Amino acid sequence: MSQPKKRKLESGGGGGGGGEGSEEEDGGAPEAAPPRPRRARRERDQLYYECYADISVHEEMIADRVRTDAYRLGILRNWAGLRGKTVLDVGAGTGILSLFCVQAGARRVYAVEASAIWQQARDVVRLNGLEDRVHVLPGPVETVELPEQVDAIVSEWMGYGLLHESMLRSVLHARARWLKEGGLLLPASAELFVAPVSDQMLELRLGFWSQVKQLYGVDMSCLESFATRCLMGHSEIVVQSLSGEDVLARPHCFARLELARSGLEQELEAGVGGRFRFSCYGSAPMHGFAVWFQVTFPGGDAEKPLVLSTSPFHPVTHWKQALLYLNEPVPVEQDTDISGEITLLPSRDNHRLLRVLLRYKVGDQEEKTKDFAMED
């Protein structure tokens, strides 16, 4: 549930362009941008909700067949835990997951939506003749009052890099306040992965300037270093699709989140992460690291758990992968050792923006750190 290229999440004081995004070795401080007034948390949340009032966001999410089919199957396979039961849909959007729950036999679904799209969700419910079973409730789940505790919670809360937008906190609030003891969570868990990558498209762009002379008789190869600084020297988390061929070593799972786990809210605030170590497959220019996730739905009655993956080895989703570029390409060879630590946490200026702290060492090079932030 993420689309920052179309939905700018307002930052209170600079987000990715301020103090959260430099590498230790960088020389020369960038020209300071004029300070922006800090926004109150409530105002930032309201701006976030307004992003979801646009139909394009919901079109992209529902048109993502990998995502939507996984949710439908994950819900239907849990029919035994939903039939005749009550469900809370957190961040219901246009209401499609709520209707999937009815298809699985839910007695009543409370579809909670904070953005103005709740009106369209109500229209969808009416069109399908389900007003008696799906109750659309406008407002944030933190303030909405339900008439009863629920047997299950369903939510599509995942953002780019899993944690961008911080919607998981709303799900955990709903779990603590409204879910019955031992209730069902769909999905129930999430895993985060990281791997070193060689971005073939980026390599073509960087090499373009050395080919201009062959094309037009003008040598512009001196611009390659400038292009490298422009395309890699920033601190933005880049959302882009990669393929399995771009991955330079076996991916590493650095974090597992069980949504029923006590204390998960505090873990998210402190930062989710872990150490990693890779041994490269072969020779290539390494441009950075890719981060992706998968979520797992319980198997239900005699069914295997269903996994929704955003891996570059699987069919592409609208989440793609989150890329963390080094400041310049680093050549690696077979068995080059890459190690380090990665932490995902909320931005200091806007809790809904993702921040990534990266510490890494490639081969015999000295250890470096870089601080990334999602564009606001």
Side-chain angles (χ1 to χ4, degrees), residues 146-193:
L146 304 186
E148 60 183 324
Q149 296 273 293
V150 297
D151 301 289
I153 291 177
V154 63
S155 181
E156 198 274 75
W157 52 267
M158 301 86 73
Y160 292 128
L162 185 67
L163 298 179
H164 183 53
E165 299 184 6
S166 294
M167 188 176 165
L168 178 55
R169 288 173 175 77
S170 295
V171 176
L172 298 178
H173 174 91
R175 179 203 70 186
R177 186 172 185 190
W178 298 114
L179 187 63
K180 295 178 182 176
E181 186 73 25
L184 185 63
L185 288 161
L186 300 172
S189 62
E191 296 174 301
L192 278 158
F193 297 84

Side-chain angles (χ1 to χ4, degrees), residues 97-235:
L97 302 189
S98 295
L99 270 64
F100 289 165
C101 291
V102 172
Q103 291 176 354
R107 172 175 60 85
R108 177 158 298 155
V109 182
Y110 298 103
V112 176
E113 174 55 44
S115 81
I117 204 73
W118 71 266
Q119 299 170 79
Q120 282 65 47
R122 181 186 57 192
D123 293 342
V124 170
V125 170
R126 287 175 177 170
L127 182 63
N128 286 270
L130 294 173
E131 301 99 312
D132 59 330
R133 297 176 68 180
V134 179
H135 295 187
V136 179
L137 304 177
V141 73
E142 290 83 357
T143 61
V144 165
E145 291 292 329
L146 304 186
E148 60 183 324
Q149 296 273 293
V150 297
D151 301 289
I153 291 177
V154 63
S155 181
E156 198 274 75
W157 52 267
M158 301 86 73
Y160 292 128
L162 185 67
L163 298 179
H164 183 53
E165 299 184 6
S166 294
M167 188 176 165
L168 178 55
R169 288 173 175 77
S170 295
V171 176
L172 298 178
H173 174 91
R175 179 203 70 186
R177 186 172 185 190
W178 298 114
L179 187 63
K180 295 178 182 176
E181 186 73 25
L184 185 63
L185 288 161
L186 300 172
S189 62
E191 296 174 301
L192 278 158
F193 297 84
V194 64
V197 294
S198 181
D199 186 340
Q200 298 179 39
M201 184 59 66
L202 176 61
E203 184 69 8
L204 289 173
R205 293 186 67 187
L206 296 177
F208 167 77
W209 300 103
S210 296
Q211 301 172 15
V212 173
K213 185 175 182 179
Q214 181 179 349
L215 295 171
Y216 304 113
V218 177
D219 190 347
M220 302 187 75
S221 58
C222 62
L223 295 184
E224 184 168 339
S225 60
F226 177 64
T228 300
R229 293 198 301 273
C230 291
L231 298 176
M232 298 184 67
H234 56 78
S235 60

Side-chain angles (χ1 to χ4, degrees), residues 348-366:
R348 290 176 294 214
D349 293 322
N350 184 344
H351 72 286
R352 291 202 177 274
L353 298 178
L354 175 63
R355 180 186 178 198
V356 178
L357 304 180
L358 179 67
R359 179 170 58 83
Y360 66 95
K361 186 177 187 297
V362 181
D364 296 329
Q365 293 193 359
E366 65 179 18

Side-chain angles (χ1 to χ4, degrees), residues 250-263:
R250 184 186 179 121
H252 175 72
C253 177
F254 66 88
R256 291 181 173 86
L257 309 180
E258 297 289 341
L259 270 62
R261 187 165 71 221
S262 176

Side-chain angles (χ1 to χ4, degrees), residues 26 38 77 82 89 105 112 190 211 215 219 280 296 308-309 312-313 316 320 342:
D26 288 353
R38 294 183 64 86
R77 287 184 181 184
L82 295 174
D89 182 356
V112 176
Q211 301 172 15
L215 295 171
D219 190 347
C280 290
T296 301
L308 166 56
S309 174
F313 296 95
V316 67
K320 305 174 186 177
I342 184 171

Side-chain angles (χ1 to χ4, degrees), residues 293-308:
F293 65 88
Q294 66 182 33
V295 296
T296 301
F297 294 82
D301 190 17
E303 292 274 5
K304 292 182 179 179
L306 186 147
V307 175
L308 166 56

